Structure formats: C-alpha cells, structure tokens
Amino acid sequence: MSAQVTFPRPEPGEDEPMLRIRLGIAYDGAPFAGWATQPAAPTVQGALEDGLALLLRRPVRLTVAGRTDAGVHARGQVAHLDVTATEWEGLRRRDTGDPADALLRRMRGVLGRVLGDIGPHAADAVVVHRAAVAPAGFDARFSALARRYSYRIADPAAGRDPLRRGSVLWHPEALDVDALNAAAAAVTGVGDFLSFCKPREHATTVRELQRFAFTREPDGVVVADVQADAFCHHMVRGLIGAALQAGDGRRDTGWVRERLDARIRDSATRLAPPHPLVLEEVVYPADADLAARADATRARRDPLV
C-alpha cells in the first residue's frame, strides 16, 4: 500500500549516462510489513520509492543492502538508485548548493506526504540521512562485506520499562550471559544455517557468522551483537531464539551447535520476536575494491538478505 503517483514522462533512455546514488536510511519498522514492496501492504521500500518518484517524476527502483522483516528497524540501512546527471542536478531547482543536500531536504517533504497517506502511526518513521554519488563499482547489496544487527532483551534483572516495549524483548526467565555466549561462540564461523532460516528456493543457506556475542549493559538489558557476511531469511531471529533457550537454562549450551549440525528446520526452531531487532551497520570495502567484491558475491551466492 503506497501513495498513488502518476508519471508524465518515461524513464531515462538507455543511452543517457547515469549516476549511482548511495542512500543512508533509518526507520522504525513497526508500521511496515518489512522492507520489500508488497502489493497491498505498507513497506519501507514502497514509501521511499514513492517519495523518490515524486521528486524525479518517474518510477524508481531501489537496491538495498539487506531486506528486513516486518517490524524490524534500521539505523544503518544502505540502498542505491540510478539517476541521470540532469536529474541529479535538477534536484537543486534554483539553489546552487549540493544536489545531495537538496535530495535530503526534499525527501523530508515528500516522505511526510507518502507516510501520511499510510497513516498517522507511520509519520516520521523513515528518514534518509545520507545521499551521495557512489564510487565506481558500488552496489548496495553485492558490494557489502557484512551486515551487523543488534537485539535487546530485558530479563527480570533489567525489569520492564513500558517506554521501551517497542524495542526491547521482555524475557520472563533470568538469563546467564556466559551461557548465552558459550552457545553463540559454538556456531560462529562459516556454516550451513538452514536450521535457523527460512530458505529461499535455489538459494544457499551457507553463511559466515562473523560475530555473535551478548553483553549486559549497566541498565541490566542484555544486548546481542550479530554480524555476518549476509543473513538468510529469519536467520538472526532464529539464532537469538535458540540462544535464549540456552541462556535461560531450558537447553544446555551445546544444543545450539547441535541444531546447526542437524541442518533441519522443525518445531524446535523458535524465532525471537522482530521488534527488538535493529540493522545497525552495513560494512563495505575500500572504494577500489567495491566492483571486485560485487562480482565475487554474485558468483558465490544469490540472493543475499
């Protein structure tokens, strides 16, 4: 579900030189049915593409670093779109400043209109905080080296703060951080994460889990830090759900590794709720290595999420 936008002129011709624009995006995922456009539901991608279409007066398609599930948030999401040089310069209108600044300023206005059409609960839920012409070879999805997520959990030691209920999981049992970390360490590295994923047709579930660790903050909240080269659908929530069973004593710490080795998705796979999950960062290589990274990723596996 998105704003109704009409376009008085066609998309740029294939012979026009194009610029790739990198966007930095943050959003509260609560009002949306995830990142990816759906025909009858509000999505982050749909809102952004409708806003950009209003500015450019043509359909726009974004490529994103990582597609987030319904209710999942982002501080460090990255996407790109391609525009002509004329369109890029035209964003300034009568200004003489940077087109990137004009894009950010004008997107605030059009997103207000688009998100208002979705409903008052979506107002200010999406912010484009960075725009720039991307280096040669940049691809928001395939150039990425890693995606990093956080997940916040309040057990009885932290208490229940109703002002944070939209971004913290209330867990009824006490959590042992050492047990959480022992379970997490056992599955860190390259592996087949089928047991924790909803696999996509013809897509591999082999990933490199680069970091999976838990810390208890001074306020008592337990924070998971999860980073991988890429994530399968539901993989972070599956890993958190499994680790919590070890952390509160329902399972021993070796059980999460046993699940990994079993490579089976069944009723023991418990997905942690989406609302505490935040995409914090997408990591890219140096500019000179962007194109090579994109080529290597495309050759190795598809799709990445």
Side-chain angles (χ1 to χ4, degrees):
M1 183 173 66
S2 57
Q4 298 298 311
V5 183
T6 59
F7 310 102
R9 63 182 179 84
E11 297 187 57
E14 293 182 2
D15 58 341
E16 293 186 67
M18 306 295 287
L19 297 174
R20 177 152 292 181
I21 308 304
R22 172 176 169 168
L23 301 178
I25 305 161
Y27 48 86
D28 175 355
F32 302 103
W35 165 269
T37 300
Q38 300 181 35
T43 66
V44 181
Q45 182 182 11
L48 287 165
E49 289 181 351
D50 281 352
L52 289 163
L54 288 169
L55 294 187
L56 297 174
R57 307 301 296 168
R58 65 169 174 86
V60 174
R61 188 68 172 176
L62 288 171
T63 297
V64 73
R67 291 166 291 182
T68 49
D69 293 342
V72 176
H73 319 292
R75 289 191 183 92
Q77 183 66 278
V78 179
H80 78 247
L81 71 153
D82 295 328
V83 301
T84 66
T86 299
E87 288 174 329
W88 182 239
E89 294 297 325
L91 288 169
R92 295 186 299 188
R93 292 186 173 176
R94 298 182 180 86
D95 297 339
T96 58
D98 187 344
D101 293 335
L103 175 62
L104 296 180
R105 182 178 65 254
R106 296 182 63 191
M107 277 298 288
R108 287 194 291 269
V110 296
L111 276 176
R113 171 179 166 183
V114 170
L115 295 172
D117 288 344
I118 293 173
H121 60 292
D124 301 320
V126 182
V127 174
V128 181
H129 56 77
R130 178 186 176 188
V133 176
F138 175 80
D139 185 294
R141 177 185 178 194
F142 288 111
S143 294
L145 292 173
R147 290 88 171 159
R148 182 173 66 85
Y149 284 85
S150 67
Y151 195 98
R152 304 179 71 83
I153 310 143
D155 66 356
R160 297 188 172 192
D161 181 351
L163 299 184
R164 303 171 73 181
R165 69 189 186 281
S167 59
V168 177
L169 174 66
W170 289 352
H171 192 73
E173 304 297 332
L175 291 171
D176 182 333
V177 173
D178 289 339
L180 287 168
N181 280 321
V187 295
T188 302
V190 177
D192 187 338
F193 289 87
L194 175 64
S195 298
F196 308 103
C197 298
K198 181 180 180 181
R200 301 183 189 275
E201 189 175 4
H202 306 306
T204 180
T205 50
V206 174
R207 296 291 188 267
E208 181 188 5
L209 184 58
Q210 299 166 345
R211 183 161 65 245
F212 187 20
F214 293 82
T215 58
R216 190 179 292 275
E217 297 193 330
D219 62 1
V221 172
V222 175
V223 181
D225 185 23
V226 192
Q227 178 172 306
D229 58 343
F231 289 95
C232 313
H233 193 208
H234 290 162
M235 178 175 160
V236 182
R237 292 169 58 198
L239 286 168
I240 297 292
L244 287 175
Q245 295 182 62
D248 64 16
R250 283 176 288 168
R251 307 276 190 175
D252 62 53
T253 57
W255 177 79
V256 179
R257 178 69 202 197
E258 293 171 5
R259 291 293 299 166
L260 178 75
D261 293 338
R263 297 183 63 251
I264 184 170
R265 184 180 172 89
D266 56 22
S267 60
T269 299
R270 305 287 179 84
L271 296 182
H275 67 277
L277 185 58
V278 180
L279 175 59
E280 297 284 0
E281 180 185 15
V282 182
V283 181
Y284 292 95
D287 290 355
D289 299 325
L290 289 166
R293 170 63 182 180
D295 290 343
T297 304
R298 288 190 189 96
R300 186 167 66 251
R301 60 174 172 257
D302 182 26
L304 297 178
V305 294

